[in-house]
């Protein structure tokens, strides 16, 4: 078996012990004589798998009983539509903070269902900083305020939580889900595509405050309707059972590692080590304001961009994957999700040093 150091932005690295367990249980899940893939979602044992995953996620994030946990499909992009369709209610507008590629997409999709007001965005389109809260042009009548705590493409992260009065906060946590403890009570709805930090693609986790459920627009598809999902245990139609099962194993893994405090500490160590190296080496540069740098997606450019291909080819030979930056930003990106071990970051820094010695 030969595994690479996987810095993919998503789908991304999963804990090896989880993959091993999936492999061990693949043909015969605990004496039931079939794979989880082959089980009915309405029968034991899948109902147990599903309930355990929810209970473990509730423990990990300390989710209050007044919040529903939904296991959905359609990705985070599906939630760009689901959030406005479920939360608009009698209101006509929602506020959007645009800090990078993903929050921009969310705002554009939201505009199909309501007046999506961009209340804050940086002065230019490089998205290298978070506009300070004091300058946000908030509306008291907004159905919600949407923001993206971690911008996966631009490598920008909120290290604070917007505090609003009366207007529910809607957060696309896809790439920083389970990377640090959060206070769920600060939010109206939290959602995350599982494929960054919580499992395989195909599952979207939604955590929504009970009182926001049940006011969806008439046009809301059944599969995106929070109430139908909440009332059916996320089984109003066939859920992504295999992805749900694997996410459940990832939740157990995170609990075994010491929970989100421990995930946060590791995330801090990995990202600060890489930023320290980049900041001390003139050949590499990170364009993001220091206070808004992402702990999860570290973007960097080479002093000579004509060496980009050589950097990536060398990286591939040295056993690294997923370092090419998004085409919107260029350069490189190392995504440091929970399942990326610290040795991978050390090895990457060694490679970056070696590259400067040879080509810099
Ligand atoms: C990856 C990502 C998305 C898109 O997720 P899909 O599941 O592919 O729709 C949206 N928002 C953020 C912050 C992401 O990282």
């Amino acid at each position: 078996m030969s595994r690479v150091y996987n810095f993919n932005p998503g789908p991304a690295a999963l804990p090896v012990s989880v993959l091993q367990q999936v492999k061990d249980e693949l043909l015969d899940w605990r004496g039931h004589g079939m794979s989880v893939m082959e089980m009915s979602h309405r029968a034991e044992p899948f109902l147990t798998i599903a309930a355990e995953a929810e209970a473990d996620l509730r423990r990990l994030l300390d989710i209050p009983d007044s919040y529903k946990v939904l296991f959905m499909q359609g990705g985070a992009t599906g939630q760009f539509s689901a959030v406005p369709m479920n939360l608009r209610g009698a209101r006509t507008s929602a506020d959007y903070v645009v800090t990078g590629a993903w929050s921009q997409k969310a705002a554009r999709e939201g505009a199909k269902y309501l007046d999506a007001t961009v209340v804050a965005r940086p002065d230019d389109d490089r998205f290298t900083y978070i506009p300070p809260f004091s300058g946000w042009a908030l509306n008291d009548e907004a159905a919600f305020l949407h923001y993206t705590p971690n911008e996966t493409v631009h490598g920008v992260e909120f290290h604070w939580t917007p505090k609003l009065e009366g207007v529910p906060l809607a957060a696309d946590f896809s790439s920083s889900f389970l990377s640090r403890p959060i206070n769920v009570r600060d939010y109206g709805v939290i959602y995350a595509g599982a494929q960054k930090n919580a499992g395989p693609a195909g599952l979207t986790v939604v955590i929504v405050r009970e009182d926001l459920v049940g006011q969806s627009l008439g046009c809301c598809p059944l599969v995106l309707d929070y109430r139908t999902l909440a009332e059916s245990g996320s089984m109003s139609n066939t859920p992504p059972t295999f992805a749900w099962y694997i996410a459940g194993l990832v939740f157990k893994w995170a609990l075994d590692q010491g929970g989100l405090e421990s995930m946060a500490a590791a995330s801090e160590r990995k990202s600060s080590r890489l930023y320290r190296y980049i900041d001390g080496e003139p050949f590499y540069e990170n364009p993001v304001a220091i206070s808004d740098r992402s702990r999860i997606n570290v973007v960097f450019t080479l002093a000579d961009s004509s060496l980009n291909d050589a950097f990536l080819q060398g990286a591939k030979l040295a056993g690294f994957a997923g370092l090419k930056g998004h085409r919107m930003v260029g350069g490189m990106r190392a995504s440091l999700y929970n399942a990326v071990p610290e040795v991978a970051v050390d090895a990457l820094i060694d490679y970056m040093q070696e590259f400067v010695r040879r080509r810099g």
Side-chain angles (χ1 to χ4, degrees):
M1 185 185 74
S2 135
R3 301 212 7 119
V4 298
Y5 290 127
N6 184 352
F7 293 98
N8 272 334
L14 284 164
V16 174
S17 62
V18 166
L19 295 173
Q20 201 65 54
Q21 187 174 346
V22 172
K23 183 182 173 193
D24 293 345
E25 297 177 338
L26 191 65
L27 297 185
D28 176 8
W29 189 83
R30 302 188 194 173
H32 287 263
M34 62 176 81
S35 166
V36 174
M37 272 185 275
E38 303 169 289
M39 291 174 181
S40 164
H41 58 295
R42 303 212 182 271
E44 293 289 341
F46 186 77
L47 292 175
T48 310
I49 293 173
E52 251 184 62
E54 177 173 341
D56 286 336
L57 182 63
R58 284 184 177 276
R59 258 177 73 204
L60 259 181
L61 274 168
D62 193 17
I63 301 174
D65 289 342
S66 55
Y67 283 72
K68 300 288 187 192
V69 176
L70 311 176
F71 291 84
M72 297 178 60
Q73 302 189 56
T77 305
Q79 295 302 313
F80 296 169
S81 301
V83 168
M85 284 195 287
N86 282 280
L87 265 55
R88 197 187 97 164
R91 307 208 164 181
T92 56
S93 74
D95 288 351
Y96 283 82
V97 179
V98 173
T99 51
W102 287 115
S103 51
Q104 177 139 17
K105 284 196 176 162
R108 288 196 181 134
E109 191 70 10
K112 293 179 180 172
Y113 308 99
L114 38 64
D115 173 12
T117 314
V118 176
V119 294
R121 67 173 296 146
D123 294 330
D124 60 30
D125 281 337
R126 293 177 61 233
F127 294 120
T128 53
Y129 69 97
I130 310 258
F133 186 65
S134 56
W136 295 12
L138 299 171
N139 298 299
D140 295 342
E141 293 301 309
F144 56 85
L145 177 129
H146 183 280
Y147 84 116
T148 303
N150 184 69
E151 289 282 2
T152 322
V153 170
H154 287 88
V156 178
E157 184 177 11
F158 281 78
H159 297 287
W160 47 280
T161 308
K163 287 276 156 44
L164 309 176
E165 279 173 27
V167 173
L169 195 53
D172 174 3
F173 261 102
S174 295
S175 48
S176 50
F177 194 55
L178 308 182
S179 71
R180 60 160 56 142
I182 58 171
N183 183 6
V184 172
R185 285 187 178 77
D186 288 340
Y187 299 88
V189 59
I190 288 167
Y191 64 89
Q195 72 274 20
K196 311 290 164 67
N197 225 1
L203 172 71
T204 315
V205 179
V206 176
I207 302 164
V208 57
R209 215 173 64 208
E210 230 163 30
D211 63 288
L212 298 172
V213 174
Q215 47 171 355
S216 62
L217 302 181
C219 67
C220 184
L222 196 58
V223 293
L224 293 182
D225 191 323
Y226 291 166
R227 174 160 55 187
T228 322
L229 286 150
E231 287 173 353
S232 61
S234 302
M235 296 195 190
S236 50
N237 72 322
T238 315
T241 50
F242 199 60
W244 189 335
Y245 151 69
I246 297 175
L249 298 181
V250 172
F251 301 157
K252 280 197 197 302
W253 171 83
L255 285 166
D256 287 347
Q257 301 286 306
L260 299 190
E261 297 285 358
S262 153
M263 296 294 117
S267 169
E268 189 60 44
R269 284 194 298 272
K270 287 184 288 187
S271 57
S272 57
R273 215 175 288 165
L274 186 49
Y275 282 123
R276 201 176 321 125
Y277 172 66
I278 291 171
D279 290 344
E281 170 50 69
F283 184 76
Y284 299 107
E285 193 191 338
N286 169 280
V288 179
I290 288 177
S291 59
D292 303 330
R293 283 173 164 179
S294 170
R295 296 163 304 128
I296 313 295
N297 309 99
V298 177
V299 298
F300 59 93
T301 53
L302 277 49
D304 177 356
S305 63
S306 73
L307 293 175
N308 282 359
D309 286 345
F311 181 91
L312 289 167
Q313 273 161 19
K316 191 173 174 206
L317 288 174
F320 300 98
L323 289 169
K324 191 173 167 48
H326 193 278
R327 60 192 180 282
M328 287 177 74
V329 176
M332 309 298 152
R333 168 175 51 174
S335 295
L336 312 178
Y337 299 115
N338 289 345
V340 173
E342 294 184 42
V343 291
V345 177
D346 295 336
L348 174 61
I349 293 171
D350 286 347
Y351 170 71
M352 291 168 73
Q353 270 168 337
E354 178 63 23
F355 189 80
V356 176
R357 265 197 298 275
R358 283 189 292 120
R359 309 292 296 268

